[in-house]
Structure formats: structure tokens, C-alpha cells
Amino acid sequence: MCPTSPAKGLAFLNFLLLLAVGTCEVLKSEVPENYGGNFPFYIVKLPKQALGSYHFTLTGDDEGVFGVDSGFLYATAPFDREKHPSYTLQVSVTDKGQPVIDPITIYIQVKDKNDNFPQFTKESMSGIVYSGLGTKSGSPFMQVQATDLDDPATPHADLRYSLVSQAPAEPSGNMFQIHSLTGSVSLTAEGAHLLDPEKCNMYHLKVTVKDMGEESYAHTAEGIVSIKVMENTWIPLAPVNLQENQRGPFPQQISQAHWSGGPAVYRLKGAFSRGLFTISSEGVISVTRPLDREAQAEFQIEVFAESPDGTAYADSLTLAVTVGDDNDNAPVFSQQLYQADVNELAVQGTEILRVQATDADAPATNNSKIVYRIASQKPESKEPLFRMDRESGAITVQAASLHGAAAHYTLEVIAEDLAGQKGGHSSTCTVILDIVDVNDKPPVFSQRKYGPFKVPEDTETGFLVTEIAASDEDKPGTDSWLVEFKIESGNEGEIFELQADRENNAASVILKKELDFESVQEYSLVLSARNVGALVAGGYGSDSTATVLVQVVNVNEAPVLSQEVYVESVEEGVPAGTVVLTVQGSDPDTPRGIALRYSLKGDTNEWFDINEYTGEIKTARVLDREVMEGTYTMVVVAEERVSPNSTPMSVTAAVTINVKDLNDNYPHLVGDYSQEYMCSLQRENQAIIIGAADEDVQSGALQFSFSSDPTVRRNWRLRPINGTHAYLSMGLSYLVPQVYMVPIIITDSGTPRLEKQFNLPVTVCQCTERGNCRTQVLEMTGKPTPLSAFGLLFGTLGILGLAVMIGLAKLKAKSTDNAEKIPLNNSA
């Protein structure tokens, strides 16, 4: 769309608002209504293509107020918007009958001027307002309307209503109000409260309407509104009673509301399912289906009267609907199975339990009045054992005693409504009664005395002495029947114990500890029988007590040593006759320590002696730990001293003697060093490893050193490896090749310290590149020649042979003298 500039009508002389639009074929312009200036009134300039001596044809000017001159569209008379708000013109430009340009369309809009007064649509305006529960304050009961011929899209037709006066001003001058925009008339809060047709049944209101909206300069019109006051038909609704389970037909009218103050739309609201209650356009309220009192007994239904636009005319009315009860429900027990225990000692009238049933029908009516009765009892009895209270449902004991009754009874109980009358409903439940046995009968032993039972004193523990039993007349398997046995007295030292057989109410008397005839010769065990459950009637008498007599039979018993193993320590080197330990024994059949003989076994090397009467063990000779290898073990025997025709009983115990070490052995060299040599000149890391040993345990680490000879200390070096070995090396890089006697002192770490010097021959020679000795070494000064050495060797061997022969002869003679002695192996 081509843009245009509207002509702005001004009051100054012949001012034209022109809009040059260029070559656009559609022109728009706005002209003022009731223009009061000079004419012709030029409106718009035509496009430049239309300028010239052309012929112009104007169409759409039915009133003949437009013309074209010198390329301008003009008007010859003022415009009236209310008659003709706009014009659509078309200008054709031709030259000698031929179009110069396409026809030009011109749209003329007449701009409104506030030249009209508002007018009420009715000369006579009236309405009706209702009192009582009638119109609410602020709810319109009528509306006044006015029109204005000016442009409605401008403030010229923006109307405002106001209330000027009220006649009469009774009982208040502020009874009514008018909405400034809509013209709706309604009661004020004061008017709704004071409105009374008996005091005033007609009011006249003076109202005004003005244009220009909220502007102060405007046109105004006045009118009179007559309002008649009448009594309203919007009155409270009477409560309704409806019987449940009605058969219809439906819908069924139950009430009616009516609003007489104008067209009304009725609406219901309340706590009920959708569609259960309805209201017609005439205000008829209906129920659409049967009601169920147990589901909902009462309804509070709100009834509304509203204008077609949904505005409430007045406060809502409340319709109360009460649903009448029908006996359509059977009693229901709180549980289908009841269970209770009944004490067999329960007296007549003792309440056992109460059953309870409820009925959903209306309370306090026969429809929900429930009574109870016992329909059956299993197993049956000759006389009624139980009674049911008709009103409370309490079951009580009716029999004088329940002794001899069955263990269980099953009752069928019925609950009936309508107070038990015919035509009512009923339901049943089951009651199980367990007759609880009461511990009123004490247990009784099958016999009062058991035994005497003779039991040897060497009988092994766990031996069954006897079995006991008791009987009980109470219900088997219950705490009233179960028996607990107890040894009340006579079981000092807990020599015996009871092992129960609960299934048979019996027990076994078992030997728990060893018997000793020398300590106790007879046991009189007093036993009691008691129920697990408390005895509620009577008491435990003599029949619940029994005695078991056990006599101990004496048996010859073996001696007993004070220890099973004897361990003692003694230092080596103690003199013969030193007391090491004393073995003590006794015979259970005789006074302690008498009539026993002691001896040793396993003392192969005869290191010890034992006194056969006192058990005192002494050293037989000086002990040597290194020979005895530290620990010496043997066996001590204690046997009865009996007549030659009797077999003695004996007992043994192991004896271990730990021989403590003394530092009594010198350390000595170990190993053969005859093939060792050293090279001169000295080679790198050249050394001989020498070793030493000491038979003593406490000798500790051995130390290697030289004598104080300065030459030795210069020529040789010692470097320890550990506590038993050291490196021997040359102290100088060169020594004269020969055999050297190197004096080495070895010292132990015992107490006291022992040391010994050894002269170790060491060969020093010249060596090949591979380290082999190649030079014959010089003989040591003062040493024997080979020939003399051989002579000495053979002479020594002859002397040693003679000594061996003499020793063997003596040994043979000694073995003949001791033929009866049997040597025992020495154990380490």
C-alpha cells in the first residue's frame, strides 16, 4: 500500500493539507467534519503524470461536492460524518479520448467532530427490585442505555453514567447505585439491608449520561428511572426426607425454587455424585436415582439463581435432604473367628470373651438393634457349659465345673438385627474355646526308695546307677504335667547327676565324678519331683520325694605320684651325692607315703641314684654336660611293698634333668691347613680362612689374636669373619719364602674366659702368574730332618700299640666282674 499524508484541517484561512503521492494510483486523505473555511477546499494533489491540458472525469461523487482543477482534488461544501463518514472516488485522465495514465483511486475519510449529544434509548425507564432474600447488593436488577451518533472509536461517543438523585430519600438517600460504564442499576449494601416495600414501594432516580469519557467538557443528557419494590419469591426451601432404595420412577421432584426478579439460570452445588440431583430451568429440583443411606445419610444442596452472564442475583438457598433408613444391611462381626482360653477351675459366671457385630443401618432403630445367641456347640455336652448374653455378646461359664471337659469346644454364634424379630438379617461367627489345664495335681514317684546300689570305686564316669520315674494326672505335654527332677541333698561334691527323659517324665542317675572309697563309702541321694508350671492347688507331699542309696565298693588302687613329669636343673661339675630332687608318692589304700618302693629306669650311664624309701634322687658321679648332651631323661617307678605272693601295683613318671653348662673347655683350631700357602710378593685379597670351636654352650663368640711379639704383629694380620672364623693374611707385601710358625691366640667369651695359643705353620713361596707355588721353601730353623722324623713316627706308633693292648685286657676283666649289670642307653 502506498503511503499518504493526511490533510490536517486547521482553522486558518484556505490552508490546504495536501499529500503528494507520486505515481501511486491509490491516494488517501482525511478531511475535517463541518469545515468552516473558504471553498473550494483543496484536498489532495494528483500525480504529476496527470498535470497538463487533459480531460478529467470524476466518479463516486453522488453528492456533487468534489471537483478537479489544475491537478488538485477539491471540495465545494462541508462534510457531515454522521451522514457520510467516507468517500471512495476515481479520477480518469484522458487526452483526446485516450487515457494518459491508469485511473486514480482516492479514499477520503471524514474526521469526526463532537457535534452530537448522547440520548437515552428509552424515554421511560423502569425496573423492579425484590426485597427479602431478594437482590444482593451490587447485583444488577436493570440497565439504562444511551447512544451517541459521534464516532464510537473516539471519546466523542465514550459515555459515562451517573446517579444524580433519588426520590424519595427513604429510608436512606443511598439506596441505589449505577455502574458508570455499563449503566447497570443495583442496590447498595445499605439499600439491600433497608429495602422494604411496605415503607416505600416506588423510587424515582435521576440519572445522567455524558460523552467524552472522563473529560469535563462534554455533552450531557438526563433521564428518569422508575423503580418498583416488590416481595421476592426467592424464599428458604423446606427440608426434604427421602427413603433409601426407592424404586422410582425417576427423576422424582423433591422441591422447587423460584426467582421472580428476571430471567434466571439455576444451578446446584453440593457433596453428591454428578447428576444425582438436578434443577430445571423452572427451578424444579429432582432426584435421578435411588439413594443409599449407608453411603450418605444427609445432603446439603446449595441452589443458585444467576443472570444469563453468570452473575448471582441473590444469596444461595440451602436444601437439606435426609435419607430415611431401610433395613437393607445384615450384622457384620468384627472378626469371623474368635479364640480364647478357659481355665478349667473357672467358676460359674466367669466371662470368657465378648463377640461384637455392627449393623450399617440407622443407629437407635430396630434396623440396627443386634441380639446374640449360641446356635451350636461341638462336641456336645449333657448340660450347657457356656452361656451367651443376648444383648452384650458376652460368653460366660454356665457349668458348675469344667473338670472332665474336653480340651477344645467350637461354638457357632448368630447375630440378628430387628432385635431378633422375624424378617431381619443375621450372620454367624465361630468361637473356639480351649480348656486350659491347671496344675492342681502334683507328680508322684513310682517308688519311694531305690537301691541300695553297689558301685566299685573305680567305676568310670557316665555309669548309669538307676532310673527313676514319676507320674502326673494333669494334661500330658503341658507344663502342669512335665516333671523336673532335682537332687536335693546327699550329693556332696556333685558326684552324681540327673539326665532327664522329658517325654516319659523319667530321669537317669549318672555317675559324674570318680568315686573314692577312702573318702566316702555311701551316698543317700534325696530326689524331688516338681512340675515346670506352678502348682495352683494343694502342695508337694512325701510322694513327690524319693531316696536313692549308693554304696561304694573298695578296690585296690595303684599308687599315685605327686607329679606326672618331674623336671629339674643342675650345674655340671657338682660332686657325687648332690641331691637333685625328691619324688613323692602315696597309695590311696593306705596312709600317705607308706609302703612304697622307688627305683629308676633308663639311667643307662648311671649318672644318678634314688633312695628306694624316700624317693630322693642324687648324683652318682660328677656330671659332664658335654657328655650328657645337655638334657638327661629317665623314669622313676613307685610300686607297692606287698607280700611275695601278691602282684604289686606301680606308677611311673618321667624325670628330665637339665644340666647347666660351665665354661670348662678351651677353644681349639679346627681344620687342616697343610695345603695352604701364601704368595710373596703378596697378591690382592690373599688370605687363609682359619676356624676354631669350643664344646661349651656358653663359650660365646671366639676371638682371634697374636702374641705380643712385634715381629709377628708386623708380618701378619688377623680379620674376624664371624664368631668362629677369621682371615689370616700377610702384614707385608713381601716375606722371605719359607714355612713360618704363626702364634695365634684363641679366646672364648665364657665365664671365666679361657684362651689357648696355637702355632700355625704357614707356607710362604714365590708363585707363578697363575698363583701356583713354584719355589722350594726353606726349612724352619731347629726342625727335624725327614729321616729323624720317620724314626720318631715309628717309635710313637709302637708305644701306642702297647698301650691299647694293656687297656683291652683290663676292660675284659672288668666286664667279667659286672656280668649281672645291664647298661641302658643314654637319651639326650
Side-chain angles (χ1 to χ4, degrees), residues 88-134:
T88 301
L89 308 176
Q90 192 174 65
V91 178
S92 299
V93 183
T94 60
D95 183 11
K96 298 177 182 182
Q98 297 297 323
V100 177
I101 59 175
D102 292 336
I104 301 170
T105 300
I106 303 174
Y107 179 72
I108 305 299
Q109 180 72 39
V110 181
K111 185 177 182 181
D112 184 50
K113 184 179 181 181
N114 190 18
D115 56 351
N116 291 281
F117 282 77
Q119 293 181 352
F120 284 104
T121 58
K122 294 180 180 180
E123 293 184 3
S124 176
M125 296 177 286
S126 62
I128 299 175
V129 64
Y130 292 90
S131 62
L133 289 176

Short mmCIF file of all heavy atoms in Angstrom, two decimals, residues 88-134:
data_model
loop_
_atom_site.label_atom_id
_atom_site.label_comp_id
_atom_site.label_asym_id
_atom_site.label_seq_id
_atom_site.Cartn_x
_atom_site.Cartn_y
_atom_site.Cartn_z
N THR A 88 -15.17 7.16 -1.62
CA THR A 88 -14.21 6.50 -2.50
C THR A 88 -14.43 7.04 -3.91
O THR A 88 -15.47 6.78 -4.51
CB THR A 88 -14.38 4.98 -2.47
OG1 THR A 88 -14.22 4.52 -1.13
CG2 THR A 88 -13.36 4.31 -3.36
N LEU A 89 -13.44 7.79 -4.43
CA LEU A 89 -13.56 8.47 -5.73
C LEU A 89 -12.57 7.86 -6.71
O LEU A 89 -11.56 7.28 -6.31
CB LEU A 89 -13.27 9.96 -5.57
CG LEU A 89 -14.08 10.71 -4.48
CD1 LEU A 89 -13.60 12.17 -4.39
CD2 LEU A 89 -15.55 10.66 -4.77
N GLN A 90 -12.87 8.02 -8.00
CA GLN A 90 -11.94 7.59 -9.04
C GLN A 90 -11.83 8.69 -10.09
O GLN A 90 -12.84 9.21 -10.58
CB GLN A 90 -12.42 6.31 -9.70
CG GLN A 90 -11.35 5.67 -10.59
CD GLN A 90 -11.77 4.33 -11.11
OE1 GLN A 90 -12.75 4.27 -11.88
NE2 GLN A 90 -11.07 3.28 -10.72
N VAL A 91 -10.59 9.07 -10.42
CA VAL A 91 -10.31 10.13 -11.40
C VAL A 91 -9.69 9.49 -12.63
O VAL A 91 -8.66 8.79 -12.50
CB VAL A 91 -9.36 11.20 -10.82
CG1 VAL A 91 -9.06 12.27 -11.87
CG2 VAL A 91 -9.97 11.82 -9.55
N SER A 92 -10.32 9.73 -13.82
CA SER A 92 -9.77 9.25 -15.09
C SER A 92 -9.19 10.43 -15.85
O SER A 92 -9.83 11.49 -15.98
CB SER A 92 -10.87 8.57 -15.92
OG SER A 92 -11.40 7.47 -15.22
N VAL A 93 -7.97 10.25 -16.40
CA VAL A 93 -7.27 11.31 -17.13
C VAL A 93 -7.13 10.85 -18.58
O VAL A 93 -6.50 9.80 -18.84
CB VAL A 93 -5.88 11.58 -16.51
CG1 VAL A 93 -5.22 12.73 -17.26
CG2 VAL A 93 -6.01 11.88 -15.02
N THR A 94 -7.70 11.65 -19.54
CA THR A 94 -7.65 11.30 -20.96
C THR A 94 -7.16 12.50 -21.76
O THR A 94 -7.28 13.65 -21.35
CB THR A 94 -9.02 10.85 -21.46
OG1 THR A 94 -9.95 11.93 -21.27
CG2 THR A 94 -9.50 9.60 -20.72
N ASP A 95 -6.63 12.16 -22.95
CA ASP A 95 -6.20 13.20 -23.90
C ASP A 95 -6.73 12.77 -25.28
O ASP A 95 -6.28 11.74 -25.81
CB ASP A 95 -4.68 13.32 -23.92
CG ASP A 95 -4.18 14.43 -24.84
OD1 ASP A 95 -5.02 15.22 -25.28
OD2 ASP A 95 -2.96 14.45 -25.09
N LYS A 96 -7.70 13.58 -25.72
CA LYS A 96 -8.35 13.27 -26.99
C LYS A 96 -8.94 11.87 -26.97
O LYS A 96 -8.81 11.06 -27.89
CB LYS A 96 -7.36 13.41 -28.16
CG LYS A 96 -6.82 14.84 -28.32
CD LYS A 96 -5.81 14.90 -29.44
CE LYS A 96 -5.22 16.31 -29.59
NZ LYS A 96 -4.25 16.42 -30.71
N GLY A 97 -9.55 11.58 -25.83
CA GLY A 97 -10.25 10.31 -25.70
C GLY A 97 -9.37 9.14 -25.32
O GLY A 97 -9.86 8.03 -25.11
N GLN A 98 -8.05 9.35 -25.22
CA GLN A 98 -7.14 8.27 -24.87
C GLN A 98 -6.64 8.46 -23.43
O GLN A 98 -6.32 9.58 -23.02
CB GLN A 98 -5.93 8.25 -25.82
CG GLN A 98 -6.32 7.98 -27.26
CD GLN A 98 -6.94 6.61 -27.43
OE1 GLN A 98 -6.53 5.64 -26.78
NE2 GLN A 98 -7.95 6.54 -28.31
N PRO A 99 -6.65 7.38 -22.62
CA PRO A 99 -6.16 7.51 -21.22
C PRO A 99 -4.67 7.86 -21.21
O PRO A 99 -3.88 7.29 -21.94
CB PRO A 99 -6.42 6.12 -20.63
CG PRO A 99 -6.52 5.21 -21.80
CD PRO A 99 -7.09 6.01 -22.95
N VAL A 100 -4.40 8.83 -20.34
CA VAL A 100 -2.99 9.25 -20.17
C VAL A 100 -2.31 8.31 -19.17
O VAL A 100 -1.18 7.86 -19.40
CB VAL A 100 -2.92 10.71 -19.71
CG1 VAL A 100 -1.46 11.11 -19.47
CG2 VAL A 100 -3.57 11.62 -20.74
N ILE A 101 -2.99 8.07 -18.10
CA ILE A 101 -2.48 7.15 -17.06
C ILE A 101 -3.64 6.28 -16.60
O ILE A 101 -4.81 6.51 -16.97
CB ILE A 101 -1.89 7.92 -15.86
CG1 ILE A 101 -2.95 8.83 -15.23
CG2 ILE A 101 -0.64 8.71 -16.25
CD1 ILE A 101 -2.47 9.53 -13.98
N ASP A 102 -3.34 5.27 -15.81
CA ASP A 102 -4.40 4.43 -15.25
C ASP A 102 -5.27 5.26 -14.32
O ASP A 102 -4.82 6.27 -13.73
CB ASP A 102 -3.80 3.28 -14.46
CG ASP A 102 -3.10 2.29 -15.36
OD1 ASP A 102 -3.43 2.24 -16.54
OD2 ASP A 102 -2.18 1.55 -14.84
N PRO A 103 -6.55 4.91 -14.19
CA PRO A 103 -7.43 5.65 -13.29
C PRO A 103 -6.82 5.75 -11.88
O PRO A 103 -6.17 4.83 -11.40
CB PRO A 103 -8.72 4.83 -13.29
CG PRO A 103 -8.68 4.08 -14.58
CD PRO A 103 -7.25 3.79 -14.86
N ILE A 104 -7.09 6.89 -11.24
CA ILE A 104 -6.55 7.16 -9.89
C ILE A 104 -7.69 7.01 -8.90
O ILE A 104 -8.73 7.64 -9.04
CB ILE A 104 -5.94 8.57 -9.83
CG1 ILE A 104 -4.82 8.70 -10.87
CG2 ILE A 104 -5.41 8.86 -8.44
CD1 ILE A 104 -4.33 10.14 -11.02
N THR A 105 -7.48 6.14 -7.85
CA THR A 105 -8.47 5.95 -6.79
C THR A 105 -8.09 6.83 -5.60
O THR A 105 -6.94 6.82 -5.15
CB THR A 105 -8.52 4.49 -6.33
OG1 THR A 105 -8.89 3.68 -7.47
CG2 THR A 105 -9.54 4.28 -5.24
N ILE A 106 -9.06 7.55 -5.09
CA ILE A 106 -8.82 8.46 -3.96
C ILE A 106 -9.81 8.08 -2.86
O ILE A 106 -11.02 8.05 -3.09
CB ILE A 106 -8.99 9.93 -4.36
CG1 ILE A 106 -8.04 10.26 -5.52
CG2 ILE A 106 -8.74 10.85 -3.19
CD1 ILE A 106 -8.24 11.65 -6.08
N TYR A 107 -9.29 7.76 -1.63
CA TYR A 107 -10.12 7.41 -0.47
C TYR A 107 -10.11 8.59 0.48
O TYR A 107 -9.05 9.03 0.95
CB TYR A 107 -9.57 6.17 0.23
CG TYR A 107 -10.37 5.78 1.45
CD1 TYR A 107 -11.64 5.23 1.31
CD2 TYR A 107 -9.87 5.98 2.72
CE1 TYR A 107 -12.39 4.89 2.41
CE2 TYR A 107 -10.61 5.63 3.83
CZ TYR A 107 -11.86 5.08 3.68
OH TYR A 107 -12.60 4.76 4.78
N ILE A 108 -11.33 9.15 0.76
CA ILE A 108 -11.48 10.32 1.63
C ILE A 108 -12.15 9.88 2.91
O ILE A 108 -13.26 9.32 2.88
CB ILE A 108 -12.31 11.43 0.94
CG1 ILE A 108 -11.70 11.79 -0.41
CG2 ILE A 108 -12.38 12.65 1.85
CD1 ILE A 108 -10.30 12.34 -0.33
N GLN A 109 -11.50 10.07 4.10
CA GLN A 109 -12.05 9.75 5.43
C GLN A 109 -12.43 11.05 6.11
O GLN A 109 -11.63 11.97 6.21
CB GLN A 109 -11.00 9.02 6.28
CG GLN A 109 -11.48 8.66 7.66
CD GLN A 109 -12.51 7.53 7.64
OE1 GLN A 109 -12.40 6.59 6.88
NE2 GLN A 109 -13.53 7.65 8.46
N VAL A 110 -13.70 11.13 6.58
CA VAL A 110 -14.17 12.32 7.27
C VAL A 110 -13.86 12.17 8.76
O VAL A 110 -14.31 11.22 9.41
CB VAL A 110 -15.69 12.53 7.06
CG1 VAL A 110 -16.14 13.81 7.77
CG2 VAL A 110 -16.00 12.62 5.57
N LYS A 111 -13.09 13.07 9.29
CA LYS A 111 -12.69 13.03 10.70
C LYS A 111 -13.81 13.58 11.56
O LYS A 111 -14.32 14.68 11.32
CB LYS A 111 -11.41 13.83 10.90
CG LYS A 111 -10.86 13.74 12.30
CD LYS A 111 -9.55 14.50 12.41
CE LYS A 111 -8.96 14.39 13.81
NZ LYS A 111 -7.70 15.15 13.94
N ASP A 112 -14.18 12.78 12.66
CA ASP A 112 -15.34 13.12 13.49
C ASP A 112 -15.08 14.36 14.32
O ASP A 112 -13.97 14.63 14.79
CB ASP A 112 -15.68 11.94 14.42
CG ASP A 112 -16.93 12.21 15.22
OD1 ASP A 112 -17.92 12.59 14.62
OD2 ASP A 112 -16.89 11.99 16.46
N LYS A 113 -16.18 15.05 14.56
CA LYS A 113 -16.20 16.20 15.45
C LYS A 113 -17.34 15.97 16.43
O LYS A 113 -18.39 15.45 16.08
CB LYS A 113 -16.44 17.49 14.66
CG LYS A 113 -16.39 18.74 15.52
CD LYS A 113 -16.61 19.99 14.65
CE LYS A 113 -16.55 21.24 15.50
NZ LYS A 113 -16.77 22.48 14.69
N ASN A 114 -17.11 16.30 17.72
CA ASN A 114 -18.11 16.06 18.76
C ASN A 114 -19.25 17.04 18.58
O ASN A 114 -19.37 18.07 19.26
CB ASN A 114 -17.48 16.19 20.14
CG ASN A 114 -18.44 15.69 21.23
OD1 ASN A 114 -19.39 14.97 20.95
ND2 ASN A 114 -18.16 16.08 22.48
N ASP A 115 -20.16 16.70 17.69
CA ASP A 115 -21.26 17.60 17.36
C ASP A 115 -22.61 16.97 17.63
O ASP A 115 -23.64 17.45 17.15
CB ASP A 115 -21.18 18.04 15.90
CG ASP A 115 -21.15 16.85 14.95
OD1 ASP A 115 -21.02 15.70 15.46
OD2 ASP A 115 -21.22 17.05 13.74
N ASN A 116 -22.62 15.87 18.44
CA ASN A 116 -23.87 15.20 18.79
C ASN A 116 -23.95 15.00 20.29
O ASN A 116 -22.95 14.70 20.96
CB ASN A 116 -23.96 13.85 18.09
CG ASN A 116 -24.12 13.98 16.59
OD1 ASN A 116 -25.20 14.25 16.10
ND2 ASN A 116 -23.02 13.81 15.85
N PHE A 117 -25.17 15.08 20.83
CA PHE A 117 -25.43 14.84 22.25
C PHE A 117 -25.82 13.37 22.45
O PHE A 117 -26.48 12.78 21.59
CB PHE A 117 -26.56 15.74 22.74
CG PHE A 117 -26.12 17.16 22.99
CD1 PHE A 117 -25.93 18.04 21.92
CD2 PHE A 117 -25.91 17.62 24.28
CE1 PHE A 117 -25.54 19.34 22.15
CE2 PHE A 117 -25.52 18.94 24.49
CZ PHE A 117 -25.32 19.81 23.43
N PRO A 118 -25.43 12.78 23.61
CA PRO A 118 -25.90 11.43 23.90
C PRO A 118 -27.40 11.45 24.17
O PRO A 118 -27.96 12.45 24.64
CB PRO A 118 -25.11 11.02 25.14
CG PRO A 118 -24.70 12.30 25.78
CD PRO A 118 -24.53 13.31 24.67
N GLN A 119 -28.09 10.34 23.91
CA GLN A 119 -29.52 10.22 24.11
C GLN A 119 -29.82 8.85 24.72
O GLN A 119 -29.24 7.84 24.30
CB GLN A 119 -30.28 10.36 22.80
CG GLN A 119 -30.19 11.73 22.18
CD GLN A 119 -30.98 11.81 20.88
OE1 GLN A 119 -31.46 10.79 20.37
NE2 GLN A 119 -31.13 13.01 20.33
N PHE A 120 -30.73 8.84 25.74
CA PHE A 120 -31.17 7.56 26.31
C PHE A 120 -32.00 6.83 25.27
O PHE A 120 -32.76 7.45 24.50
CB PHE A 120 -31.98 7.78 27.58
CG PHE A 120 -31.12 8.13 28.77
CD1 PHE A 120 -31.05 9.44 29.23
CD2 PHE A 120 -30.39 7.15 29.42
CE1 PHE A 120 -30.26 9.77 30.32
CE2 PHE A 120 -29.61 7.48 30.51
CZ PHE A 120 -29.52 8.79 30.96
N THR A 121 -31.86 5.49 25.24
CA THR A 121 -32.58 4.71 24.23
C THR A 121 -34.07 4.67 24.50
O THR A 121 -34.86 4.41 23.60
CB THR A 121 -32.04 3.28 24.19
OG1 THR A 121 -32.16 2.70 25.49
CG2 THR A 121 -30.56 3.29 23.79
N LYS A 122 -34.45 4.85 25.78
CA LYS A 122 -35.87 4.86 26.14
C LYS A 122 -36.19 6.17 26.85
O LYS A 122 -35.42 6.61 27.71
CB LYS A 122 -36.22 3.67 27.05
CG LYS A 122 -36.07 2.31 26.39
CD LYS A 122 -36.43 1.20 27.38
CE LYS A 122 -36.28 -0.18 26.75
NZ LYS A 122 -36.63 -1.26 27.71
N GLU A 123 -37.36 6.72 26.46
CA GLU A 123 -37.79 7.92 27.17
C GLU A 123 -38.27 7.56 28.57
O GLU A 123 -38.05 8.32 29.50
CB GLU A 123 -38.91 8.61 26.38
CG GLU A 123 -38.46 9.19 25.06
CD GLU A 123 -39.58 9.94 24.36
OE1 GLU A 123 -40.67 10.03 24.96
OE2 GLU A 123 -39.36 10.38 23.23
N SER A 124 -38.90 6.40 28.70
CA SER A 124 -39.40 5.97 30.00
C SER A 124 -38.62 4.73 30.41
O SER A 124 -38.68 3.70 29.73
CB SER A 124 -40.89 5.65 29.92
OG SER A 124 -41.35 5.15 31.15
N MET A 125 -37.88 4.85 31.51
CA MET A 125 -37.05 3.74 32.00
C MET A 125 -37.56 3.29 33.35
O MET A 125 -37.80 4.12 34.24
CB MET A 125 -35.59 4.20 32.12
CG MET A 125 -34.97 4.57 30.78
SD MET A 125 -33.27 5.19 30.95
CE MET A 125 -33.58 6.82 31.63
N SER A 126 -37.77 1.96 33.50
CA SER A 126 -38.32 1.44 34.75
C SER A 126 -37.73 0.05 35.03
O SER A 126 -37.22 -0.62 34.13
CB SER A 126 -39.84 1.36 34.70
OG SER A 126 -40.24 0.46 33.68
N GLY A 127 -37.84 -0.34 36.30
CA GLY A 127 -37.33 -1.63 36.71
C GLY A 127 -38.00 -2.11 37.97
O GLY A 127 -38.74 -1.35 38.62
N ILE A 128 -37.75 -3.36 38.35
CA ILE A 128 -38.33 -3.95 39.55
C ILE A 128 -37.19 -4.50 40.40
O ILE A 128 -36.29 -5.17 39.89
CB ILE A 128 -39.30 -5.08 39.21
CG1 ILE A 128 -40.47 -4.53 38.37
CG2 ILE A 128 -39.83 -5.73 40.49
CD1 ILE A 128 -41.41 -5.63 37.89
N VAL A 129 -37.24 -4.20 41.70
CA VAL A 129 -36.28 -4.75 42.63
C VAL A 129 -37.04 -5.51 43.71
O VAL A 129 -38.12 -5.08 44.13
CB VAL A 129 -35.41 -3.62 43.25
CG1 VAL A 129 -36.24 -2.65 44.07
CG2 VAL A 129 -34.29 -4.23 44.10
N TYR A 130 -36.47 -6.70 44.15
CA TYR A 130 -37.17 -7.57 45.08
C TYR A 130 -36.51 -7.50 46.45
O TYR A 130 -35.28 -7.44 46.58
CB TYR A 130 -37.17 -9.00 44.57
CG TYR A 130 -38.00 -9.16 43.32
CD1 TYR A 130 -37.42 -8.99 42.07
CD2 TYR A 130 -39.35 -9.48 43.40
CE1 TYR A 130 -38.17 -9.11 40.91
CE2 TYR A 130 -40.11 -9.61 42.25
CZ TYR A 130 -39.53 -9.43 41.01
OH TYR A 130 -40.27 -9.56 39.87
N SER A 131 -37.34 -7.51 47.47
CA SER A 131 -36.86 -7.41 48.85
C SER A 131 -36.75 -8.81 49.45
O SER A 131 -36.90 -9.81 48.76
CB SER A 131 -37.82 -6.54 49.67
OG SER A 131 -39.11 -7.14 49.70
N GLY A 132 -36.52 -8.83 50.79
CA GLY A 132 -36.39 -10.11 51.49
C GLY A 132 -35.04 -10.74 51.16
O GLY A 132 -33.98 -10.15 51.34
N LEU A 133 -35.09 -12.06 50.72
CA LEU A 133 -33.87 -12.70 50.26
C LEU A 133 -33.50 -12.22 48.87
O LEU A 133 -32.68 -12.83 48.21
CB LEU A 133 -34.03 -14.22 50.24
CG LEU A 133 -34.10 -14.91 51.59
CD1 LEU A 133 -34.35 -16.39 51.38
CD2 LEU A 133 -32.83 -14.70 52.38
N GLY A 134 -34.12 -11.11 48.45
CA GLY A 134 -34.02 -10.64 47.07
C GLY A 134 -32.64 -10.26 46.62
O GLY A 134 -31.68 -10.90 46.96
#
